[in-house]
Amino acid sequence: MFSLKGYQQRAIDTLSNFLSKARNYQSIEQAYTETLQEQSLPDLAYRDYGFDDVPYVCFRIPTGGGKTVLASYAIATAAREYLDTDYPITLWLVPTNTIRLQTVEALKTPGHPYREKLDLSFNHQVLVLDIDEVTQIRPQDIGQKAIVIISTLANLRVNDTSGRKVYAYHENFEPHFDDITEHHVSLVHLEKVGVNDIQENGLSASELGKVKYSFANLLALHQPLIIVDEAHNARTLLTFDTLKRIHPAAVIEFTATPNVSTTNGSNILYHVSAAELKSEEMIKLPIILTEHQNWQNAVRDTVITRNKLALDAQNDESYIRPIALLQAEAKNGEVTVEVLKKYLTEDLHIALESIAIATGKQRELDGLNLFNPSCPIEYIITIEALKEGWDCSFAYVFCSVKQVSSSKDAEQLLGRVLRMPFAKRRVVEDLNRSYAHLSTKGFANAAKELTDKLIAMGFEEMEVAAFLRQQAPSSGQSDLFGKDNNPISPPVAPQTVVIELPKMPDISVLNTDEKRQLAITEDKENKTIIVRVTGEISEKLQEALLNAAGTKKQNKEAIARDLRIHNQGIQAQKSPAERGELFGELPLLCAYVQQELELIEPENIMHNGQLSLLNYPAKLNNFRIEETSNSFSIDMGDKTISYHIAKQNEVINLNEDLLDVTEQDVIRWLDRELRQSDVKQSEMIKFNTSLVNDLLQKPGINLTALVRNKYPLARAIKDLIGLYRKRAQKEGYQHTLFDSEAKIELSDSFVYSFSPQNYPARPPYYVGRYKFQKHYFSLIEDLKAQGEEYECAKAIDSLPEVKYWIRNLVRRDHASFWLPLAHAKFYPDFICALTDGRMLVVEYKGDAYVSNDDSAEKRAVGDLWAKNSNDQCLFIMAVEQDSEGRDVRQQIQKYIQNSRLENDSRLQ
């Protein structure tokens, strides 16, 4: 079965957490704020855009991140955590008809990753329909099948609904509205039959003002979940009005480049970084960019690069045939498809059968399986974007002979070469990279143009700086036929940036070295000054250039961004990780459990790694149901939990047994809904049986009440099990680590190593003026340019005893160092490699937190870890000022020195 990558699972977990909070709190704003805070993301205000109590959130996933499979998983998550339904209705909106048809095909195909999760979650009771097939929906399908309808947004997005099939009267929908009464809660939302409907459908005048039998009304009746693909195209007032017409229960967006404006920006709930995709082996980074002064050289070096990669691929464990994508100019251009093909075959002697043309008229890729070893294709020539959904991870080299900045298709083509073959890091390092050869004309700047495209694909500025590398062209044709098996490493081009200014900058304020960095040319035709800057740009030089940028704010901001990325790129290549330096290893905390050495995790500190539910009472103490129009309250003794009830179409008296169900039906459903990896199924069934039997003994509680509110009941039982789990973990944690009989060990069998290629940082990144000299990686996650943690980082960076340090990541699978707590994992703030070979872990605590229970638990486990390291590891919980008046730097330095003296005295 298909498995989600770590970042994808974190995205779904975040959605689950948010929707659960939104339902429990009955406040989407509070749920959104808390979910951002738990991810250490900036505190952004939630904007409802008139959708009131309908969750409307966005997932920012860069190109190549698997947005569509996440959307499939989101349906099951929303159904379970928010919609409270066994079988939801989902309207899946895509930007184009091509994507619509491809999505329909994938979701209808059994075993396809997009369909697989739906079948598993809804017991194979899934109905996938194209928008043209919606009249096939039968009343008996509603509530018995998970229904997914795929449509373009354009099918729905209109000011005037007349003449659109989605909103049109259709007699096939009549049975769906047979049971609508005048008291139905959705009646007010439904469009009524108008004069135009009577004329167009031959209805009698008596139908005027009655509910219209339309697909849009069918959706509004059942309040669907809405999935929006490429959501940056769906943030207009017209779109909002369109979605409101069908009264969704929730709206979930997916896009690489969300709208972030203050007027109609998306509520970004989760952001995947390019670094995470690289770490999860989804994309090839860095991108090696080579700029060429003519198109022939660009194509020649593309062939050289592809041939070298083909030699590398012979040493890979899997079959890979590197492919180059070449973007030609249109028919009115100089380098057309025919010209490019002729140059490849006649001048560079490329075999005709290894070239495929993919344009509107020539579709030579149709029907080809590019992954088949017998397929000869090595070069694909196109003009515009390859058809949407085209995906071959063998594409490694992007070559454009046209101006990239003027090509809306270059962004899509570049995205094609980023995908990693088989989503797995390759053995030969050159096969883990992407390559771009760009032909530029006049004063164009390929790096700037590619930067624009990468940012449009969802990259952050700091990620562009870290992952875009400029490289000099090759010297000639010696490697044209792939006989040289050396790594692809022509001379690295000096870091340069080209900017266009409306007037000459004042260079009189610059010193000699700064003036030498400049090459200034006047473009008389366009009446601009072209400035090429080489090397790192000082503040004085940057100020001089911006002063000549004119008065247009947009131009000035664009130039400032390019200068900023240029400097960040230079800094990135100075990092120890980029230089191939090693950081060191940290042992993980282990203990002997039943005479076996085990890594201590919250999941395995309970007896045999299992929660024995039968050791705890199967009762919701002081249980009662207090139902209002929208709430469901369960008193659990030590805490009261309130849940939001799914909106009901009709009022039901809870005191009447109206449903033909048995206790066993309820217990079986709870068993399916509550299965957990650390609880035996037999124990779960016994626990649920006892709990349901106990509930039914209470006055006013019957099976109808439990079935009607089965989802809130399941969440209450899940919370009760969670409380019992925490008790068991606390007891196991204390016994395993801190009892007198505990056997702690730090073993070579369980160590964590920071890999130079694996630091999946997420925005926000550090962008302050202070330049850290010793951070191991080029990116620094979640460090503001002011505040106590920032001062702690500066103090660490300044210590002569520190060789390198790392801002530790939180919950990043195999890219974080952690220590166990009773109920979670502890991710210390900073990890330091000392010059004497030892490792130092620093956790910073502000005065408000230094003495609380959380800090005490972290200090205890940190000290325990260090104590058992044979003096090779140190742990300190630093504060702004300790009891002796020492600042952070003095605390850490003194601790390092004292530990060294203590170690020396023991050795004597």
Side-chain angles (χ1 to χ4, degrees), residues 468 544 606 795 806 853 881:
L468 181 60
M606 295 180 294
I806 291 173
D853 291 344
Q881 188 175 62

Side-chain angles (χ1 to χ4, degrees), residues 262-277:
T262 56
T263 54
N264 61 339
S266 291
N267 297 306
I268 301 173
L269 186 70
Y270 188 83
H271 181 182
V272 176
S273 68
E276 285 181 281
L277 296 187

Side-chain angles (χ1 to χ4, degrees), residues 171-443:
E171 61 184 11
N172 282 28
F173 293 121
E174 180 178 357
H176 292 279
F177 300 91
D178 283 347
D179 297 328
I180 300 296
T181 69
E182 61 182 3
H183 302 295
H184 197 287
V185 294
S186 295
L187 186 63
V188 67
H189 303 318
L190 304 183
E191 189 178 2
K192 309 303 188 292
V193 173
V195 175
N196 289 339
D197 298 308
I198 291 176
Q199 295 172 349
E200 291 173 5
N201 297 281
L203 303 177
S204 66
S206 62
E207 298 296 318
L208 189 65
K210 293 184 179 180
V211 172
K212 182 194 287 190
Y213 304 147
S214 69
F215 176 61
N217 268 353
L218 178 61
L219 290 175
L221 181 64
H222 295 287
Q223 296 183 274
L225 168 69
I226 294 182
I227 299 290
V228 185
D229 188 18
E230 301 297 343
H232 55 281
N233 297 316
R235 300 300 302 176
T236 63
L237 292 178
L238 178 57
T239 298
F240 296 150
D241 290 341
T242 298
L243 297 184
K244 289 174 189 175
R245 284 195 195 109
I246 56 180
H247 298 276
V251 183
I252 304 173
E253 301 178 323
F254 294 90
T255 180
T257 54
N259 184 322
V260 293
S261 70
T262 56
T263 54
N264 61 339
S266 291
N267 297 306
I268 301 173
L269 186 70
Y270 188 83
H271 181 182
V272 176
S273 68
E276 285 181 281
L277 296 187
K278 178 178 184 285
S279 175
E280 295 278 7
E281 304 179 353
M282 292 290 284
I283 59 176
K284 315 183 198 87
L285 288 176
I287 301 167
I288 309 300
L289 166 66
T290 309
E291 182 177 358
H292 302 271
Q293 295 304 309
N294 61 69
W295 68 266
Q296 291 93 341
N297 287 352
V299 175
R300 179 203 66 197
D301 278 15
T302 294
V303 172
I304 291 173
T305 302
R306 199 220 68 84
N307 287 342
K308 285 188 174 181
L309 291 171
L311 287 175
D312 290 336
Q314 294 176 13
N315 299 315
D316 197 88
E317 58 190 13
S318 302
Y319 173 76
I320 296 175
R321 185 180 66 263
I323 293 174
L325 303 182
L326 298 100
Q327 185 181 27
E329 294 182 312
K331 282 193 172 182
N332 58 350
E334 175 192 355
V335 191
T336 62
V337 170
E338 292 74 20
V339 171
L340 192 51
K341 183 178 179 180
K342 183 179 179 182
Y343 183 72
L344 284 171
T345 55
E346 295 186 5
D347 291 70
L348 301 182
H349 309 292
I350 303 300
L352 188 62
E353 60 269 20
S354 68
I355 302 172
I357 310 297
T359 63
K361 294 182 178 180
Q362 293 176 269
R363 301 182 178 182
E364 296 176 4
L365 289 179
D366 289 359
L368 281 182
N369 178 6
L370 292 173
F371 292 103
N372 192 322
S374 65
C375 178
I377 301 303
E378 297 173 347
Y379 299 89
I380 297 172
I381 303 176
T382 186
I383 299 174
E384 300 175 344
L386 294 168
K387 72 176 183 178
E388 289 145 327
W390 184 90
D391 186 12
C392 179
S393 52
F394 286 179
Y396 265 88
V397 192
F398 169 57
C399 174
S400 181
V401 299
K402 63 193 296 186
Q403 202 73 32
V404 173
S405 59
S406 63
S407 170
K408 60 181 176 57
D409 303 303
E411 177 185 322
Q412 191 249 36
L413 292 170
L414 181 61
R416 302 304 185 198
V417 303
L418 287 179
R419 288 170 170 79
M420 179 72 79
F422 314 112
K424 183 180 178 182
R425 185 174 177 82
R426 313 322 307 169
V427 175
V428 180
E429 187 57 37
D430 283 343
L431 293 172
N432 295 315
R433 300 170 176 173
S434 303
Y435 301 85
H437 291 275
L438 304 184
S439 169
T440 60
K441 299 177 180 178
F443 301 107

